[in-house]
Amino acid sequence: MEAKLTAIGIFAPEKVIDNHYFEKIVDTNDEWIRSRTGIITRHYAGEDEFTSDLAQKAIENMAAEYHLQLDDVDFILVATVTHDQIMPSMACQLQYRLNMPKAAALDISAACGGFAYGLVLAKGLINSGMYRKILVVGAETLSKVTDFTDRTSCILFGDGAGVVLIEAAEKGNIGASVAGADGSGGQDLYLSTQNTWINGEEIKANNKIVQNGRKVFKWAVSQMALQFNILLEKEGLSVEDIDWFVPHSANMRIIEAICKQVGLPIEKTLESLSTYGNTSSASIPLALYEGLRAGKVKKGDRVMMLGFGGGLTYAGAIVQWA
Ligand code: UT7
């Protein structure tokens, strides 16, 4: 059997935060944020709204839109860095709440690369014949771990959730995939709950995201351009064969730089950052869903998804939209 992506759903909390919000708390302005990142708004969860709630609503939205039964889901993978709690896992919480009695449940810790890692894992689990119906979720409440004293990072993050259903089929639609890591950059993007060390560098626990933006930016552009070309080669395609490129939505300038390096017109990209900010593992499904809703992505289109983030991690796959 082959792996087929058959459904998608998203959810974002109601509260919308515009760039002017940050002018009151740090030395920044709307013009800087728009021109350096492309972000215009982001959504924040309420105090009593957690990542599991966002994920649950994304799954319920998908089930309603596609008229799906969930009781025969046999695996749920949840990518997040903002679990409600470290134990139990988010996947277990959702398995119980959404009544999926047969489902194995596992969280993925690969930061903004997490959703794409989930796609690659789901493809492998289905192609091996072990599982038939898998949910891959990317969900975050980054507003709860944002350092609102750091102007270089607080303006970036937002909350949201997305999910896709991957099923076993005679003829699948998930083609070439990549997944990898570069742990040497671990200290450039972290979220720590303990005083500890990463790569010999002392890390203070503050339960907030800390990022060396410039270093991650440079790494992301060169690594994503490389992985883009590796995916093309694996699938035997050229850049003209890609209808839609859906990279992790961190910064519009990163997306533009990748496109320039690989020779892809920027009009062929889908992003979620302008509306939702950087939502880490949720950013790819949010962008894809919005692309579908806008009537851009059509049946038969070749879509390349490529995630990257803390770890450092990256993963991606080419999907032919069914
Ligand atoms: O999702 C996981 C992966 N993460 C990423 O991919 C994020 C990658 N990095 C980025 O997106 C960008 O590096 C940032 C948006 C974080 C920063 O943009 P940048 O263009 O790389 O800015 P920079 O760090 O080079 O800083 C340029 C200047 C600095 O001032 P000086 O030293 O030139 O005087 C910063 O202090 O911009 C200043 N600056 C700001 N100014 C106004 C930094 N943040 C702000 C701000 N408002 N919010």
Side-chain angles (χ1 to χ4, degrees):
M1 288 304 244
E2 293 181 0
K4 186 170 184 184
L5 194 162
T6 56
I8 181 167
I10 63 164
F11 177 79
E14 246 173 61
K15 190 166 155 194
V16 177
I17 304 288
D18 68 15
N19 291 340
H20 297 293
Y21 174 85
F22 299 95
E23 293 169 354
K24 295 177 206 119
I25 47 180
V26 287
D27 181 13
T28 190
N29 56 75
D30 176 49
E31 204 283 323
W32 192 96
I33 301 170
R34 279 179 194 244
S35 61
R36 304 292 281 222
T37 71
I39 297 167
I40 300 168
T41 55
R42 69 289 284 144
H43 293 234
Y44 280 3
E47 257 176 55
D48 299 329
E49 199 174 24
F50 296 93
T51 301
S52 62
D53 303 318
L54 273 52
Q56 180 175 345
K57 285 178 181 145
I59 298 169
E60 286 169 348
N61 286 345
M62 178 178 75
E65 187 173 339
Y66 290 81
H67 310 291
L68 298 173
Q69 290 290 115
L70 296 175
D71 54 1
D72 57 346
V73 166
D74 54 14
F75 215 121
I76 172 163
L77 290 163
V78 180
T80 188
V81 291
T82 46
H83 324 70
D84 301 8
Q85 54 277 316
I86 289 170
M87 181 173 66
S89 70
M90 290 264 312
C92 284
Q93 287 290 289
L94 293 165
Q95 182 262 356
Y96 170 67
R97 284 199 214 167
L98 290 157
N99 190 27
M100 296 183 269
K102 296 200 293 185
L106 186 69
D107 285 1
I108 299 170
S109 176
C112 311
F115 174 79
Y117 253 86
L119 268 188
V120 175
L121 288 171
K123 174 190 154 189
L125 290 168
I126 285 179
N127 286 1
S128 73
M130 286 176 73
Y131 295 91
R132 299 188 54 84
K133 194 167 174 181
I134 303 181
L135 294 182
V136 178
V137 179
E140 307 285 0
T141 46
L142 297 179
S143 64
K144 294 186 194 291
V145 291
T146 294
D147 178 355
F148 286 99
T149 65
D150 176 8
R151 70 171 179 171
T152 70
S153 70
C154 70
I155 51 138
L156 300 172
F157 303 119
D159 303 342
V163 58
V164 291
L165 174 65
I166 317 282
E167 294 183 271
E170 289 292 334
K171 173 125 185 57
N173 66 352
I174 305 184
S177 60
V178 289
D182 178 2
S184 71
Q187 71 281 15
D188 295 331
L189 181 49
Y190 63 85
L191 171 56
S192 186
T193 53
Q194 320 184 50
N195 290 336
T196 179
W197 285 266
I198 301 177
N199 297 337
E201 210 168 282
E202 200 177 350
I203 301 297
K204 290 270 178 243
N206 68 354
N207 209 22
K208 300 279 180 253
I209 299 170
V210 180
Q211 173 171 256
N212 183 334
R214 268 184 219 186
K215 279 180 95 172
V216 179
F217 190 115
K218 276 192 194 154
W219 172 82
V221 173
S222 63
Q223 189 61 253
M224 289 316 99
L226 179 66
Q227 297 308 322
F228 186 105
N229 287 323
I230 289 173
L231 275 174
L232 284 185
E233 200 180 317
K234 277 189 169 185
E235 192 76 358
L237 300 175
S238 63
V239 65
E240 291 77 26
D241 299 319
I242 297 300
D243 297 295
W244 297 104
F245 177 41
V246 197
H248 166 48
S249 266
N251 185 321
M252 206 54 218
R253 285 166 45 233
I254 294 181
I255 298 178
E256 285 162 1
I258 300 168
C259 284
K260 204 167 164 201
Q261 284 206 17
V262 301
L264 183 84
I266 191 74
E267 296 73 29
K268 284 191 163 189
T269 59
L270 299 175
E271 56 84 16
S272 55
L273 62 89
S274 55
T275 310
Y276 299 103
N278 178 345
T279 54
S280 188
S281 65
S283 89
I284 290 177
L286 284 170
L288 185 54
Y289 189 89
E290 294 296 354
L292 285 159
R293 181 147 64 185
K296 293 179 176 173
V297 182
K298 300 200 173 62
K299 198 173 172 202
D301 280 359
R302 279 207 190 82
V303 181
M304 185 195 289
M305 301 179 224
L306 212 41
F308 60 87
L312 302 165
T313 62
Y314 59 84
I318 296 176
V319 172
Q320 189 152 25
W321 202 254

